[in-house]
Amino acid sequence: MRISTLVYSIRQGLKNIRRNKLFSIASIGTIAACVFLLGIFYAIVTNFTHIVDKAEEQVAVTVFFQKGSTDEQIKAIGEQIKENDNVSDITYTSAEEAWDWFSKDYFGDRIELAEGYKDDNPLANSASYTVYLKDIEKQDEVVDYLKSIEGIRDVNYSESTADTLSDFGKLAGYISVGIIIILLAVGIFLISNT
């Protein structure tokens, strides 16, 4: 396109805007409204997706050890767990920490009631690793791997929570893509008509 043609087109566009002020304002308003709605919806979808992703990161698998496991065996189990590609992080909780948390949660402000168990920890065999996953959809695969490690007594996990979050994330993604496509189509239709 030559510069003279571009200048002519701009000049004619400005003349038409002056001649048809009401129609021009309607066109600009329609375009602005479509862009605004698309931006608002995109922001909502992005925040919602971020919330679902954060919720998925908090879902964890808890691993308990065989009775009488030594600190060396527990560390070796931790190293084996870290080797799995689907594991993002692990946190160790000793039996004493587990009892402290439980007693604070159970007894609340009346912590003196827990003093009767000071020398006899009811959670003596409750040392555990909390295993966080990179991808919640791989939970069953990670659980099978953990159950195969020697020295692990029990693996606690919530299959329904993982499935629900995973399905919810997919559903939200499909709905958001569908609504964005509909808003784009409505925007293009309105812009082409005005």
Side-chain angles (χ1 to χ4, degrees), residues 41-61:
F41 188 75
Y42 180 75
I44 291 170
V45 167
T46 302
N47 284 326
F48 186 74
T49 305
H50 178 72
I51 290 168
V52 170
D53 289 343
K54 284 295 180 188
E56 286 181 358
E57 288 176 10
Q58 299 304 315
V59 175
V61 177

Side-chain angles (χ1 to χ4, degrees), residues 160-175:
S160 62
T161 301
D163 290 343
T164 302
L165 279 173
S166 179
D167 293 344
F168 196 63
K170 287 179 186 176
L171 180 65
Y174 294 143
I175 289 172

Side-chain angles (χ1 to χ4, degrees), residues 69-100:
S69 295
T70 64
D71 289 341
E72 291 79 24
Q73 290 170 326
I74 291 172
K75 283 181 185 176
I77 290 171
E79 292 302 319
Q80 279 184 283
I81 293 171
K82 286 179 187 175
E83 289 174 5
N84 191 303
D85 293 335
N86 295 317
V87 173
S88 66
D89 191 25
I90 65 170
T91 305
Y92 176 71
T93 304
S94 68
E96 291 77 22
E97 290 172 327
W99 173 246
D100 287 342

Side-chain angles (χ1 to χ4, degrees), residues 1-156:
M1 179 184 283
R2 292 185 300 177
I3 293 177
S4 60
T5 307
L6 180 65
V7 170
Y8 175 77
S9 297
I10 291 172
R11 195 176 308 142
Q12 289 299 314
L14 292 174
K15 279 183 188 177
N16 284 331
I17 289 173
R18 274 193 303 254
R19 286 184 195 150
N20 303 310
K21 290 178 185 170
L22 188 62
F23 192 70
S24 299
I25 291 171
S27 297
I28 291 170
T30 302
I31 293 169
C34 288
V35 170
F36 178 74
L37 285 175
L38 192 63
I40 290 278
F41 188 75
Y42 180 75
I44 291 170
V45 167
T46 302
N47 284 326
F48 186 74
T49 305
H50 178 72
I51 290 168
V52 170
D53 289 343
K54 284 295 180 188
E56 286 181 358
E57 288 176 10
Q58 299 304 315
V59 175
V61 177
T62 307
V63 175
F64 296 97
F65 315 109
Q66 295 289 350
K67 290 183 180 180
S69 295
T70 64
D71 289 341
E72 291 79 24
Q73 290 170 326
I74 291 172
K75 283 181 185 176
I77 290 171
E79 292 302 319
Q80 279 184 283
I81 293 171
K82 286 179 187 175
E83 289 174 5
N84 191 303
D85 293 335
N86 295 317
V87 173
S88 66
D89 191 25
I90 65 170
T91 305
Y92 176 71
T93 304
S94 68
E96 291 77 22
E97 290 172 327
W99 173 246
D100 287 342
W101 291 338
F102 176 78
S103 60
K104 286 176 186 170
D105 187 43
Y106 186 76
F107 294 110
D109 294 336
R110 299 177 357 176
I111 200 71
E112 66 276 355
L113 296 175
E115 291 299 317
Y117 298 101
K118 182 171 55 174
D119 298 326
D120 184 27
N121 183 355
L123 300 178
N125 292 311
S126 297
S128 63
Y129 278 122
T130 304
V131 181
Y132 297 96
L133 310 176
K134 290 180 182 173
D135 183 4
I136 199 167
E137 292 181 9
K138 305 277 186 177
Q139 181 179 12
D140 291 337
E141 185 180 320
V142 173
V143 168
D144 290 340
Y145 171 76
L146 293 172
K147 287 180 178 178
S148 70
I149 296 175
E150 189 177 335
I152 291 181
R153 167 175 51 101
D154 191 21
V155 178
N156 285 351

